[in-house]
């Protein structure tokens, strides 16, 4: 068995660590590129969500490298995610791929099924080893998130252009190379040192932007056309409303790890604008925008793939939130036609607007 899974930002680092710790052979797909998108879009239904097309492309590329088993999350609720795994599998079968499919349903809904699937993949390893492996994956996700947050703070303040991204890649490599949970603390402290060596101008005025939206688009830089990096280089400090380790804590550990941000806070902040679950992260997008406004952020960017139902609901509510709480909101919809140049122009215009507001605030203060 050679297991693969779809890319979603740095998720692969945690999943690979977890599965290899359990002795499972892993073949992660090559990084998502234009080729992945072309492959996926060619064979997926035209109006399928963009993540489905990219997942499909990932699986086709991983198959070329010898992968024969797909590990995929399942889902439930009022959006299409629950059908993803089966639709992708059916398309792959039609195309002649000989994949096995293992769908891991959300643990908060089907905990026994979740554990049974993990055990199936691992060939019946003892429970203590499975639990240690999940912990290992989580620790890596948490360290990667911490390094990303350091990069988000440093990028707009860096003195040498590009130095943050260089340092981040070097730090990330150390985390990837940690083969055992006991190796992670050393890798983390070396990675942190590397990040701290980036020279910054701490007094430089920067605008603060919160990013909300659909989880895949938020976490996968290829899909969001690298908005975080572009914003950083334009002088904006970003804060992403969903991080992988927070998602794991919320959904796998049922919030057991205290002291980390939880999506519950965002859901609690969403009423009266949106009082109930609409699928995906639609409700969190509204709540996070409210929280960012209350925390004094200068603006919010909502990211969603074309036709994403939960985020379309959120998109229609956000103008009201923006007007009530006086926080500018820009919505970026991405699909296979989206181009980086057009996105950069829109981001520049948004930052100009925020800078003008920021300067007015400074004058009035
Ligand atoms: S959250 Fe949006 S993009 Fe994701 S599966 Fe649901 S509708 Fe599609």
């Amino acid at each position: 068995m050679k297991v693969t899974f779809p890319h979603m930002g740095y998720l692969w680092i945690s999943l690979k660590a977890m599965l290899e710790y359990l002795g499972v052979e892993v073949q992660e797909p090559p990084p998502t590129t234009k080729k992945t998108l072309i492959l996926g879009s060619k064979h997926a239904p035209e109006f399928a969500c963009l993540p489905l097309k990219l997942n499909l492309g990932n699986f086709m590329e991983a198959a070329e490298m010898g992968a024969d088993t797909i590990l995929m999350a399942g889902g439930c609720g009022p959006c299409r995610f629950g059908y993803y795994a089966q639709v992708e599998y059916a398309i792959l079968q039609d195309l002649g791929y000989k994949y096995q499919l293992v769908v891991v349903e959300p643990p908060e809904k089907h905990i026994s099924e979740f554990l049974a699937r993990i055990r199936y993949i691992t060939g019946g390893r003892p429970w203590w080893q499975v639990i240690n492996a999940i912990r290992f994956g989580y620790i890596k996700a948490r360290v990667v998130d911490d390094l990303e947050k350091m990069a988000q703070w440093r990028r707009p303040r860096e003195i040498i252009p590009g130095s943050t991204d260089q340092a981040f890649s070097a730090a990330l490599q150390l985390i990837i190379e940690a083969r055992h949970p006991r190796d992670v603390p050393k890798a983390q402290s070396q990675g942190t040192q590397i990040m701290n060596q980036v020279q910054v101008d701490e007094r430089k005025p920067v605008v603060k932007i919160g990013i909300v939206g659909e989880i895949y688009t938020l976490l996968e830089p290829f899909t969001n056309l690298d908005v975080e990096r572009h914003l950083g280089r334009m002088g904006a400090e970003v804060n992403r409303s969903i991080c992988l380790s927070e998602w794991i804590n919320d959904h796998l550990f049922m919030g057991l790890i205290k002291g980390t941000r939880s999506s519950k806070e965002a859901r609690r902040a969403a009423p009266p604008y949106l009082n109930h679950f609409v699928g995906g992260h639609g409700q969190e997008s509204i709540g996070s925008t409210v929280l960012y406004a209350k925390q004094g952020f200068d603006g919010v960017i909502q990211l969603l793939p074309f036709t994403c139902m939960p985020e379309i609901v959120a998109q229609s509510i956000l103008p009201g939130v923006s007007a009530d709480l006086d926080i500018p909101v820009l919505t970026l919809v991405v699909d296979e036609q989206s181009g980086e140049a057009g996105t950069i122009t829109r981001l520049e215009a948004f930052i100009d607007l925020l800078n003008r507001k920021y300067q007015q605030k400074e004058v009035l203060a």
Side-chain angles (χ1 to χ4, degrees), residues 47-52 77-84 213-217 278-282 304-312:
F47 284 101
C49 322
L50 185 64
L52 183 144
C79 95
R80 288 167 277 184
F81 188 68
Y83 301 115
Y84 259 38
E214 189 267 342
I215 183 168
Y216 184 91
T217 322
V278 289
H281 290 85
L304 64 137
F306 182 54
T307 78
C308 171
M309 296 175 293
E311 292 302 326
I312 289 172

Side-chain angles (χ1 to χ4, degrees), residues 141 145-146 148-149 152 215 218-219 239-250 261:
D145 284 345
D146 288 347
E148 274 201 293
K149 283 176 193 157
Q152 288 162 347
I215 183 168
L218 291 191
L219 297 188
N239 182 291
R240 201 192 309 136
S241 58
I242 304 173
C243 292
L244 184 60
S245 61
E246 294 164 356
W247 186 92
I248 296 174
N249 185 34
D250 272 347
R261 189 174 57 172

Side-chain angles (χ1 to χ4, degrees), residues 280-297:
H281 290 85
Q283 201 184 10
E284 283 97 323
S285 292
I286 299 296
S288 297
T289 304
V290 171
L291 293 175
Y292 283 133
K294 289 185 176 164
Q295 288 160 14
F297 273 68

Side-chain angles (χ1 to χ4, degrees), residues 33-317:
T33 59
K34 198 92 190 151
K35 183 185 161 208
T36 320
L37 179 60
I38 291 169
L39 275 175
S41 308
K42 188 171 166 196
H43 300 289
E46 188 185 350
F47 284 101
C49 322
L50 185 64
L52 183 144
K53 296 174 185 174
L54 289 167
N55 286 183
L56 201 58
N58 285 152
F59 296 145
M60 292 165 83
E61 289 187 309
E64 281 168 31
M65 300 169 85
D68 57 21
T69 304
I70 292 171
L71 181 63
M72 179 75 195
C76 45
C79 95
R80 288 167 277 184
F81 188 68
Y83 301 115
Y84 259 38
Q86 278 73 19
V87 172
E88 288 163 9
Y89 181 61
I91 296 171
L92 289 167
Q93 272 193 321
D94 285 350
L95 293 172
Y97 289 91
K98 302 272 179 269
Y99 263 127
Q100 265 198 77
L101 174 69
V102 180
V103 182
V104 182
E105 295 297 339
E108 70 262 47
K109 299 272 184 328
H110 313 273
I111 184 74
S112 54
E113 210 175 301
F114 168 76
L115 293 171
R117 295 294 162 96
I118 296 281
R119 214 147 179 233
Y120 167 76
I121 283 270
T122 62
R125 298 259 161 183
W127 285 118
W128 65 266
Q129 210 175 346
V130 173
I131 289 163
N132 271 352
I134 294 174
R135 223 182 111 250
F136 185 30
Y138 169 74
I139 294 171
K140 279 207 177 190
R142 195 161 172 165
V143 173
V144 171
D145 284 345
D146 288 347
L147 292 172
E148 274 201 293
K149 283 176 193 157
M150 294 178 86
Q152 288 162 347
W153 187 85
R154 275 168 175 70
R155 242 178 237 125
R157 298 173 173 92
E158 68 190 9
I159 289 169
I160 303 166
S163 52
T164 305
D165 287 337
Q166 252 178 18
F168 179 64
S169 302
L172 204 60
Q173 196 51 40
L174 294 171
I175 310 304
I176 294 167
E177 283 164 13
R179 293 271 170 259
H180 193 277
R182 67 172 166 259
D183 302 333
V184 179
K186 190 173 167 209
Q188 179 175 20
S189 89
Q190 287 175 343
T192 306
Q193 267 179 33
I194 293 174
M195 292 304 292
N196 282 335
Q197 278 162 10
V198 175
Q199 287 180 295
V200 290
D201 174 359
E202 290 193 28
R203 284 180 305 175
K204 185 178 167 190
V206 299
V207 289
K208 286 177 83 177
I209 297 181
I211 309 224
V212 303
E214 189 267 342
I215 183 168
Y216 184 91
T217 322
L218 291 191
L219 297 188
E220 177 54 57
F222 176 83
T223 313
N224 64 40
L225 305 151
D226 235 345
V227 281
E228 281 187 18
R229 281 207 178 89
H230 289 308
L231 287 168
R233 287 179 198 147
M234 290 172 197
E237 180 186 337
V238 301
N239 182 291
R240 201 192 309 136
S241 58
I242 304 173
C243 292
L244 184 60
S245 61
E246 294 164 356
W247 186 92
I248 296 174
N249 185 34
D250 272 347
H251 297 275
L252 280 190
F253 303 160
M254 312 304 157
L256 277 176
I257 295 165
K258 302 295 170 206
T260 55
R261 189 174 57 172
S262 160
S263 59
K264 274 193 202 135
E265 295 155 32
R267 282 197 296 276
R268 271 198 292 263
Y273 299 103
L274 183 54
N275 298 326
H276 57 87
F277 179 63
V278 289
H281 290 85
Q283 201 184 10
E284 283 97 323
S285 292
I286 299 296
S288 297
T289 304
V290 171
L291 293 175
Y292 283 133
K294 289 185 176 164
Q295 288 160 14
F297 273 68
D298 298 292
V300 165
I301 295 181
Q302 183 204 17
L303 294 170
L304 64 137
F306 182 54
T307 78
C308 171
M309 296 175 293
E311 292 302 326
I312 289 172
V313 175
Q315 186 186 2
S316 66
I317 296 169

